[in-house]
Amino acid sequence: MFVQKVVSESKDTSEVTLYDITIENSSKKSGSLDESENESDNETDNESDNESNEDSEVDENIKFESDDVFTSERTFDFISDMQIGWNLGNALDANNNGVSSETAWGNPKITQTLLTKVKEAGFQVVRIPITWLGHIGNAPNYTIEESFLDRVSEVVGYAKNAGLKAIINIHHDGADSAHWLNIKDAATNSTINTAVKNQLYSMWTQIAKKFPNSEDYLIFETMNEIHDGGWGWGTNRNDGGKQYNTLNEWNKICVDAIRNTGAKNFISIPGYVTDPTLTMDYLVLPNDELNKLFVTVHFYEPDAFTLKAIVPKWGKTVPESELKYDNPYEEGTLILSGEEAIDSMYKKLNTKYIRNGIPVLVSECGATHQAGYENYRRYYTEYMVKSAHNNGLVPILWDNGSSGSGRESSGLFDRRNGEIYSHAKTIVEAAIKAATTEYSEIELP
């Protein structure tokens, strides 16, 4: 989850347009980097990089039909029943000591009952974060452990059986550049970068082949929050774009790997640390001959309320004195950003992507539970989801299974039986209503 450091935005009150043009091919780029800049400016010899890139070119033996290529109209038709989503967090992404395990962080094993209850509550898509650490063989094949891949397939099957679309990814393998998906070192060392790209290519080839003919219900998200350990405030700020370029290369490798299996699934592409601003500024969408790409971002602003539980109240009805908190970065105090910051950011994403025919998934968002202040969490969730809906974005609420109160206690569903936690019922109801119903007045806390 990205920790927002910027705490205020100006409100743009101009009219919102969802999308008004059709993109017939995916050569259109988003971001400020030219295509010619999409290679890392590594100081070491790039011959091994060139070899890896050649291996990832589109396989001419894979032939897609003209009907497989999507226009923006068909794309938005696909997501028309993806108005609101839910994260199955801290489950298949949980890990300890470099090995992922479904129950490592205290949640029980995933069941069909849970996914069925999520669907019955009104959610339409489930994001299933997956950490693959400890289940990957050595180079050059990087073979994924069969039993683990089978379990992933089983859980995806639960979602399909429940009538949910599903999203799977490579999740904490890239956490803080602490494991093999290490952008900090890959951005400055071509040998490491080549190894990472080869592994990404191999893994996404295996994952895509595991799910043949799944394009109607399964979305592939290439990676999660890729960063160097600084959460967007590290070396990426002064390395001349090396990390941004490297991530663009990685996304291209993933798309090529998936398409070279013949898979027709939509592919969701993250920018740096999934931060909306860094994504808009530096993400270069790779070419996709099927034109079936989404952009994915995360939104937890203001994190002093949504994640850290430093401030229990939020919104325009709260006196400014109750919205102040100590600045964690330097002396002084900050004031929680409010409704305008949400509207401003979502409007920018609409302008950058939706108006250009590219869907945006806000694939993590929401607020932690703070006991006694549930109505502020309800109001924030409803306002945030309604703003996403108004701007044509797909919000996917973060749920880590926690039933507690305080920092990162984001649970909505009891994983043991699939029931909504009593303190979260108004949150779920408000989110579903905001995403699926047209109305303008939101009840204040």
Side-chain angles (χ1 to χ4, degrees), residues 159-198:
K160 181 184 179 185
N161 293 341
L164 293 160
K165 286 186 169 73
I167 302 168
I168 60 174
N169 70 357
I170 295 176
H171 203 75
H172 288 304
D173 301 64
D176 300 321
S177 286
H179 307 289
W180 68 269
L181 198 54
N182 179 344
I183 201 165
K184 180 178 181 180
D185 292 341
T188 57
N189 186 308
S190 66
T191 300
I192 293 174
N193 193 28
T194 296
V196 170
K197 290 192 288 187
N198 287 339

mmCIF file of all heavy atoms in Angstrom, residues 159-198:
data_model
loop_
_atom_site.group_PDB
_atom_site.id
_atom_site.type_symbol
_atom_site.label_atom_id
_atom_site.label_comp_id
_atom_site.label_asym_id
_atom_site.label_seq_id
_atom_site.Cartn_x
_atom_site.Cartn_y
_atom_site.Cartn_z
ATOM 1 N N ALA A 159 -13.729 -17.894 -7.410
ATOM 2 C CA ALA A 159 -14.250 -16.610 -7.889
ATOM 3 C C ALA A 159 -15.159 -16.811 -9.099
ATOM 4 O O ALA A 159 -16.255 -16.244 -9.173
ATOM 5 C CB ALA A 159 -13.094 -15.681 -8.233
ATOM 6 N N LYS A 160 -14.708 -17.608 -10.038
ATOM 7 C CA LYS A 160 -15.510 -17.874 -11.235
ATOM 8 C C LYS A 160 -16.837 -18.519 -10.860
ATOM 9 O O LYS A 160 -17.902 -18.132 -11.363
ATOM 10 C CB LYS A 160 -14.734 -18.764 -12.194
ATOM 11 C CG LYS A 160 -15.485 -19.065 -13.490
ATOM 12 C CD LYS A 160 -14.718 -20.025 -14.365
ATOM 13 C CE LYS A 160 -15.490 -20.342 -15.643
ATOM 14 N NZ LYS A 160 -14.806 -21.363 -16.463
ATOM 15 N N ASN A 161 -16.795 -19.505 -9.976
ATOM 16 C CA ASN A 161 -18.016 -20.186 -9.550
ATOM 17 C C ASN A 161 -18.993 -19.225 -8.883
ATOM 18 O O ASN A 161 -20.212 -19.402 -8.987
ATOM 19 C CB ASN A 161 -17.687 -21.313 -8.574
ATOM 20 C CG ASN A 161 -16.915 -22.440 -9.226
ATOM 21 O OD1 ASN A 161 -16.902 -22.589 -10.442
ATOM 22 N ND2 ASN A 161 -16.227 -23.244 -8.404
ATOM 23 N N ALA A 162 -18.450 -18.222 -8.188
ATOM 24 C CA ALA A 162 -19.293 -17.245 -7.497
ATOM 25 C C ALA A 162 -19.868 -16.201 -8.442
ATOM 26 O O ALA A 162 -20.736 -15.417 -8.042
ATOM 27 C CB ALA A 162 -18.487 -16.562 -6.393
ATOM 28 N N GLY A 163 -19.375 -16.163 -9.676
ATOM 29 C CA GLY A 163 -19.827 -15.159 -10.626
ATOM 30 C C GLY A 163 -19.041 -13.870 -10.565
ATOM 31 O O GLY A 163 -19.509 -12.815 -11.017
ATOM 32 N N LEU A 164 -17.834 -13.938 -10.021
ATOM 33 C CA LEU A 164 -16.948 -12.776 -9.915
ATOM 34 C C LEU A 164 -15.902 -12.803 -11.024
ATOM 35 O O LEU A 164 -15.376 -13.869 -11.364
ATOM 36 C CB LEU A 164 -16.215 -12.779 -8.574
ATOM 37 C CG LEU A 164 -17.042 -12.561 -7.305
ATOM 38 C CD1 LEU A 164 -16.283 -13.072 -6.094
ATOM 39 C CD2 LEU A 164 -17.382 -11.077 -7.132
ATOM 40 N N LYS A 165 -15.566 -11.643 -11.574
ATOM 41 C CA LYS A 165 -14.326 -11.533 -12.321
ATOM 42 C C LYS A 165 -13.180 -11.540 -11.315
ATOM 43 O O LYS A 165 -13.360 -11.194 -10.143
ATOM 44 C CB LYS A 165 -14.299 -10.253 -13.158
ATOM 45 C CG LYS A 165 -15.199 -10.302 -14.399
ATOM 46 C CD LYS A 165 -14.990 -9.060 -15.250
ATOM 47 C CE LYS A 165 -15.662 -9.196 -16.617
ATOM 48 N NZ LYS A 165 -17.123 -9.099 -16.553
ATOM 49 N N ALA A 166 -11.989 -11.943 -11.753
ATOM 50 C CA ALA A 166 -10.853 -12.063 -10.838
ATOM 51 C C ALA A 166 -9.613 -11.414 -11.441
ATOM 52 O O ALA A 166 -9.457 -11.349 -12.659
ATOM 53 C CB ALA A 166 -10.576 -13.528 -10.521
ATOM 54 N N ILE A 167 -8.748 -10.953 -10.550
ATOM 55 C CA ILE A 167 -7.456 -10.371 -10.928
ATOM 56 C C ILE A 167 -6.386 -11.110 -10.136
ATOM 57 O O ILE A 167 -6.504 -11.260 -8.910
ATOM 58 C CB ILE A 167 -7.384 -8.873 -10.585
ATOM 59 C CG1 ILE A 167 -8.516 -8.104 -11.278
ATOM 60 C CG2 ILE A 167 -6.020 -8.290 -10.968
ATOM 61 C CD1 ILE A 167 -8.688 -6.682 -10.752
ATOM 62 N N ILE A 168 -5.344 -11.598 -10.810
ATOM 63 C CA ILE A 168 -4.202 -12.183 -10.115
ATOM 64 C C ILE A 168 -2.931 -11.464 -10.537
ATOM 65 O O ILE A 168 -2.864 -10.892 -11.630
ATOM 66 C CB ILE A 168 -4.073 -13.703 -10.358
ATOM 67 C CG1 ILE A 168 -3.882 -14.014 -11.851
ATOM 68 C CG2 ILE A 168 -5.288 -14.435 -9.802
ATOM 69 C CD1 ILE A 168 -3.597 -15.487 -12.130
ATOM 70 N N ASN A 169 -1.918 -11.505 -9.672
ATOM 71 C CA ASN A 169 -0.713 -10.725 -9.944
ATOM 72 C C ASN A 169 0.530 -11.393 -9.370
ATOM 73 O O ASN A 169 0.495 -12.492 -8.825
ATOM 74 C CB ASN A 169 -0.863 -9.310 -9.376
ATOM 75 C CG ASN A 169 -0.851 -9.264 -7.845
ATOM 76 O OD1 ASN A 169 -0.779 -10.281 -7.173
ATOM 77 N ND2 ASN A 169 -0.931 -8.061 -7.295
ATOM 78 N N ILE A 170 1.646 -10.694 -9.491
ATOM 79 C CA ILE A 170 2.882 -10.985 -8.755
ATOM 80 C C ILE A 170 2.983 -9.890 -7.707
ATOM 81 O O ILE A 170 3.153 -8.717 -8.043
ATOM 82 C CB ILE A 170 4.108 -11.009 -9.680
ATOM 83 C CG1 ILE A 170 3.985 -12.162 -10.685
ATOM 84 C CG2 ILE A 170 5.396 -11.144 -8.878
ATOM 85 C CD1 ILE A 170 5.106 -12.211 -11.716
ATOM 86 N N HIS A 171 2.872 -10.232 -6.417
ATOM 87 C CA HIS A 171 2.605 -9.223 -5.393
ATOM 88 C C HIS A 171 3.854 -8.835 -4.588
ATOM 89 O O HIS A 171 4.622 -7.980 -5.006
ATOM 90 C CB HIS A 171 1.475 -9.704 -4.489
ATOM 91 C CG HIS A 171 0.762 -8.597 -3.774
ATOM 92 N ND1 HIS A 171 -0.126 -7.763 -4.418
ATOM 93 C CD2 HIS A 171 0.808 -8.191 -2.478
ATOM 94 C CE1 HIS A 171 -0.603 -6.881 -3.547
ATOM 95 N NE2 HIS A 171 -0.043 -7.115 -2.353
ATOM 96 N N HIS A 172 4.090 -9.476 -3.449
ATOM 97 C CA HIS A 172 5.175 -9.037 -2.569
ATOM 98 C C HIS A 172 6.556 -9.501 -3.027
ATOM 99 O O HIS A 172 7.549 -9.198 -2.346
ATOM 100 C CB HIS A 172 4.926 -9.511 -1.141
ATOM 101 C CG HIS A 172 3.814 -8.783 -0.444
ATOM 102 N ND1 HIS A 172 3.797 -7.412 -0.316
ATOM 103 C CD2 HIS A 172 2.670 -9.237 0.142
ATOM 104 C CE1 HIS A 172 2.705 -7.044 0.335
ATOM 105 N NE2 HIS A 172 1.998 -8.134 0.624
ATOM 106 N N ASP A 173 6.655 -10.189 -4.147
ATOM 107 C CA ASP A 173 7.978 -10.516 -4.700
ATOM 108 C C ASP A 173 8.780 -9.241 -4.963
ATOM 109 O O ASP A 173 10.009 -9.269 -4.982
ATOM 110 C CB ASP A 173 7.817 -11.291 -6.002
ATOM 111 C CG ASP A 173 7.048 -12.585 -5.832
ATOM 112 O OD1 ASP A 173 5.852 -12.530 -5.476
ATOM 113 O OD2 ASP A 173 7.631 -13.658 -6.045
ATOM 114 N N GLY A 174 8.081 -8.124 -5.158
ATOM 115 C CA GLY A 174 8.749 -6.851 -5.415
ATOM 116 C C GLY A 174 8.766 -5.911 -4.232
ATOM 117 O O GLY A 174 9.132 -4.740 -4.381
ATOM 118 N N ALA A 175 8.377 -6.384 -3.057
ATOM 119 C CA ALA A 175 8.271 -5.511 -1.891
ATOM 120 C C ALA A 175 9.625 -4.921 -1.496
ATOM 121 O O ALA A 175 10.577 -5.651 -1.200
ATOM 122 C CB ALA A 175 7.688 -6.285 -0.713
ATOM 123 N N ASP A 176 9.708 -3.602 -1.510
ATOM 124 C CA ASP A 176 10.889 -2.871 -1.018
ATOM 125 C C ASP A 176 12.187 -3.262 -1.725
ATOM 126 O O ASP A 176 13.273 -3.038 -1.187
ATOM 127 C CB ASP A 176 11.070 -3.076 0.486
ATOM 128 C CG ASP A 176 9.875 -2.600 1.287
ATOM 129 O OD1 ASP A 176 9.311 -1.556 0.927
ATOM 130 O OD2 ASP A 176 9.487 -3.279 2.261
ATOM 131 N N SER A 177 12.096 -3.881 -2.917
ATOM 132 C CA SER A 177 13.278 -4.379 -3.628
ATOM 133 C C SER A 177 14.084 -5.348 -2.764
ATOM 134 O O SER A 177 15.304 -5.446 -2.877
ATOM 135 C CB SER A 177 14.172 -3.212 -4.092
ATOM 136 O OG SER A 177 13.589 -2.546 -5.194
ATOM 137 N N ALA A 178 13.383 -6.086 -1.911
ATOM 138 C CA ALA A 178 14.055 -6.991 -0.969
ATOM 139 C C ALA A 178 14.210 -8.405 -1.504
ATOM 140 O O ALA A 178 14.897 -9.226 -0.884
ATOM 141 C CB ALA A 178 13.278 -7.026 0.347
ATOM 142 N N HIS A 179 13.592 -8.700 -2.645
ATOM 143 C CA HIS A 179 13.625 -10.060 -3.168
ATOM 144 C C HIS A 179 14.066 -10.026 -4.635
ATOM 145 O O HIS A 179 14.739 -9.094 -5.050
ATOM 146 C CB HIS A 179 12.254 -10.708 -2.990
ATOM 147 C CG HIS A 179 11.733 -10.652 -1.588
ATOM 148 N ND1 HIS A 179 12.273 -11.409 -0.571
ATOM 149 C CD2 HIS A 179 10.729 -9.919 -1.030
ATOM 150 C CE1 HIS A 179 11.628 -11.149 0.555
ATOM 151 N NE2 HIS A 179 10.696 -10.251 0.303
ATOM 152 N N TRP A 180 13.713 -11.031 -5.392
ATOM 153 C CA TRP A 180 14.219 -11.131 -6.765
ATOM 154 C C TRP A 180 13.709 -10.017 -7.669
ATOM 155 O O TRP A 180 14.414 -9.605 -8.599
ATOM 156 C CB TRP A 180 13.857 -12.505 -7.352
ATOM 157 C CG TRP A 180 12.389 -12.728 -7.587
ATOM 158 C CD1 TRP A 180 11.502 -13.264 -6.711
ATOM 159 C CD2 TRP A 180 11.647 -12.427 -8.775
ATOM 160 N NE1 TRP A 180 10.235 -13.324 -7.259
ATOM 161 C CE2 TRP A 180 10.304 -12.821 -8.541
ATOM 162 C CE3 TRP A 180 11.987 -11.879 -10.017
ATOM 163 C CZ2 TRP A 180 9.297 -12.668 -9.493
ATOM 164 C CZ3 TRP A 180 10.977 -11.732 -10.963
ATOM 165 C CH2 TRP A 180 9.647 -12.119 -10.706
ATOM 166 N N LEU A 181 12.511 -9.497 -7.393
ATOM 167 C CA LEU A 181 11.943 -8.431 -8.219
ATOM 168 C C LEU A 181 12.446 -7.089 -7.693
ATOM 169 O O LEU A 181 11.716 -6.301 -7.103
ATOM 170 C CB LEU A 181 10.424 -8.528 -8.189
ATOM 171 C CG LEU A 181 9.625 -7.815 -9.282
ATOM 172 C CD1 LEU A 181 10.078 -8.209 -10.672
ATOM 173 C CD2 LEU A 181 8.135 -8.087 -9.116
ATOM 174 N N ASN A 182 13.732 -6.845 -7.930
ATOM 175 C CA ASN A 182 14.487 -5.791 -7.262
ATOM 176 C C ASN A 182 14.802 -4.669 -8.244
ATOM 177 O O ASN A 182 15.767 -4.723 -8.996
ATOM 178 C CB ASN A 182 15.784 -6.414 -6.710
ATOM 179 C CG ASN A 182 16.666 -5.406 -6.004
ATOM 180 O OD1 ASN A 182 16.511 -4.197 -6.133
ATOM 181 N ND2 ASN A 182 17.639 -5.906 -5.263
ATOM 182 N N ILE A 183 13.971 -3.627 -8.222
ATOM 183 C CA ILE A 183 14.166 -2.537 -9.174
ATOM 184 C C ILE A 183 15.319 -1.632 -8.769
ATOM 185 O O ILE A 183 15.946 -0.990 -9.618
ATOM 186 C CB ILE A 183 12.876 -1.719 -9.350
ATOM 187 C CG1 ILE A 183 12.929 -0.941 -10.684
ATOM 188 C CG2 ILE A 183 12.625 -0.790 -8.159
ATOM 189 C CD1 ILE A 183 11.605 -0.400 -11.128
ATOM 190 N N LYS A 184 15.637 -1.610 -7.501
ATOM 191 C CA LYS A 184 16.732 -0.762 -7.026
ATOM 192 C C LYS A 184 18.044 -1.154 -7.698
ATOM 193 O O LYS A 184 18.795 -0.300 -8.186
ATOM 194 C CB LYS A 184 16.850 -0.875 -5.512
ATOM 195 C CG LYS A 184 17.958 -0.023 -4.904
ATOM 196 C CD LYS A 184 17.984 -0.161 -3.390
ATOM 197 C CE LYS A 184 19.071 0.692 -2.768
ATOM 198 N NZ LYS A 184 19.091 0.562 -1.275
ATOM 199 N N ASP A 185 18.332 -2.457 -7.729
ATOM 200 C CA ASP A 185 19.580 -2.923 -8.328
ATOM 201 C C ASP A 185 19.461 -3.096 -9.840
ATOM 202 O O ASP A 185 20.403 -2.830 -10.582
ATOM 203 C CB ASP A 185 20.004 -4.247 -7.691
ATOM 204 C CG ASP A 185 20.411 -4.087 -6.237
ATOM 205 O OD1 ASP A 185 20.715 -2.949 -5.829
ATOM 206 O OD2 ASP A 185 20.401 -5.091 -5.505
ATOM 207 N N ALA A 186 18.291 -3.531 -10.301
ATOM 208 C CA ALA A 186 18.117 -3.762 -11.740
ATOM 209 C C ALA A 186 18.250 -2.489 -12.548
ATOM 210 O O ALA A 186 18.701 -2.521 -13.699
ATOM 211 C CB ALA A 186 16.755 -4.402 -12.000
ATOM 212 N N ALA A 187 17.887 -1.356 -11.958
ATOM 213 C CA ALA A 187 17.947 -0.087 -12.687
ATOM 214 C C ALA A 187 19.364 0.352 -12.996
ATOM 215 O O ALA A 187 19.593 1.171 -13.888
ATOM 216 C CB ALA A 187 17.228 1.001 -11.889
ATOM 217 N N THR A 188 20.340 -0.192 -12.273
ATOM 218 C CA THR A 188 21.734 0.226 -12.473
ATOM 219 C C THR A 188 22.656 -0.922 -12.864
ATOM 220 O O THR A 188 23.853 -0.715 -13.038
ATOM 221 C CB THR A 188 22.290 0.882 -11.187
ATOM 222 O OG1 THR A 188 22.175 -0.028 -10.099
ATOM 223 C CG2 THR A 188 21.512 2.160 -10.857
ATOM 224 N N ASN A 189 22.118 -2.115 -13.011
ATOM 225 C CA ASN A 189 22.947 -3.277 -13.332
ATOM 226 C C ASN A 189 22.222 -4.115 -14.377
ATOM 227 O O ASN A 189 21.207 -4.746 -14.090
ATOM 228 C CB ASN A 189 23.191 -4.100 -12.059
ATOM 229 C CG ASN A 189 24.167 -5.243 -12.278
ATOM 230 O OD1 ASN A 189 23.993 -6.045 -13.194
ATOM 231 N ND2 ASN A 189 25.170 -5.334 -11.421
ATOM 232 N N SER A 190 22.735 -4.127 -15.588
ATOM 233 C CA SER A 190 22.053 -4.805 -16.696
ATOM 234 C C SER A 190 21.996 -6.312 -16.500
ATOM 235 O O SER A 190 21.057 -6.968 -16.967
ATOM 236 C CB SER A 190 22.737 -4.470 -18.023
ATOM 237 O OG SER A 190 24.053 -4.994 -18.067
ATOM 238 N N THR A 191 22.967 -6.889 -15.810
ATOM 239 C CA THR A 191 22.945 -8.329 -15.568
ATOM 240 C C THR A 191 21.771 -8.705 -14.671
ATOM 241 O O THR A 191 21.041 -9.669 -14.945
ATOM 242 C CB THR A 191 24.264 -8.791 -14.922
ATOM 243 O OG1 THR A 191 25.351 -8.477 -15.804
ATOM 244 C CG2 THR A 191 24.252 -10.289 -14.666
ATOM 245 N N ILE A 192 21.591 -7.935 -13.593
ATOM 246 C CA ILE A 192 20.453 -8.171 -12.710
ATOM 247 C C ILE A 192 19.151 -7.912 -13.454
ATOM 248 O O ILE A 192 18.189 -8.687 -13.344
ATOM 249 C CB ILE A 192 20.556 -7.280 -11.455
ATOM 250 C CG1 ILE A 192 21.752 -7.710 -10.598
ATOM 251 C CG2 ILE A 192 19.262 -7.336 -10.636
ATOM 252 C CD1 ILE A 192 22.019 -6.801 -9.415
ATOM 253 N N ASN A 193 19.098 -6.844 -14.232
ATOM 254 C CA ASN A 193 17.883 -6.515 -14.964
ATOM 255 C C ASN A 193 17.513 -7.625 -15.937
ATOM 256 O O ASN A 193 16.338 -7.993 -16.067
ATOM 257 C CB ASN A 193 18.068 -5.192 -15.704
ATOM 258 C CG ASN A 193 16.752 -4.628 -16.226
ATOM 259 O OD1 ASN A 193 15.691 -4.868 -15.663
ATOM 260 N ND2 ASN A 193 16.835 -3.882 -17.303
ATOM 261 N N THR A 194 18.485 -8.171 -16.628
ATOM 262 C CA THR A 194 18.219 -9.262 -17.561
ATOM 263 C C THR A 194 17.664 -10.481 -16.838
ATOM 264 O O THR A 194 16.722 -11.124 -17.302
ATOM 265 C CB THR A 194 19.504 -9.643 -18.321
ATOM 266 O OG1 THR A 194 19.913 -8.538 -19.119
ATOM 267 C CG2 THR A 194 19.269 -10.844 -19.217
ATOM 268 N N ALA A 195 18.245 -10.802 -15.678
ATOM 269 C CA ALA A 195 17.763 -11.948 -14.906
ATOM 270 C C ALA A 195 16.314 -11.734 -14.468
ATOM 271 O O ALA A 195 15.485 -12.656 -14.533
ATOM 272 C CB ALA A 195 18.658 -12.177 -13.694
ATOM 273 N N VAL A 196 15.993 -10.526 -14.020
ATOM 274 C CA VAL A 196 14.623 -10.226 -13.600
ATOM 275 C C VAL A 196 13.667 -10.360 -14.785
ATOM 276 O O VAL A 196 12.590 -10.978 -14.674
ATOM 277 C CB VAL A 196 14.527 -8.814 -12.991
ATOM 278 C CG1 VAL A 196 13.062 -8.423 -12.780
ATOM 279 C CG2 VAL A 196 15.281 -8.739 -11.668
ATOM 280 N N LYS A 197 14.059 -9.813 -15.916
ATOM 281 C CA LYS A 197 13.181 -9.881 -17.084
ATOM 282 C C LYS A 197 12.982 -11.319 -17.552
ATOM 283 O O LYS A 197 11.862 -11.709 -17.929
ATOM 284 C CB LYS A 197 13.728 -9.003 -18.203
ATOM 285 C CG LYS A 197 13.611 -7.515 -17.908
ATOM 286 C CD LYS A 197 13.883 -6.637 -19.111
ATOM 287 C CE LYS A 197 15.331 -6.607 -19.492
ATOM 288 N NZ LYS A 197 15.596 -5.610 -20.566
ATOM 289 N N ASN A 198 14.040 -12.104 -17.508
ATOM 290 C CA ASN A 198 13.894 -13.513 -17.884
ATOM 291 C C ASN A 198 12.942 -14.246 -16.936
ATOM 292 O O ASN A 198 12.143 -15.076 -17.362
ATOM 293 C CB ASN A 198 15.260 -14.205 -17.894
ATOM 294 C CG ASN A 198 16.112 -13.786 -19.087
ATOM 295 O OD1 ASN A 198 15.594 -13.297 -20.092
ATOM 296 N ND2 ASN A 198 17.410 -13.960 -18.971
#
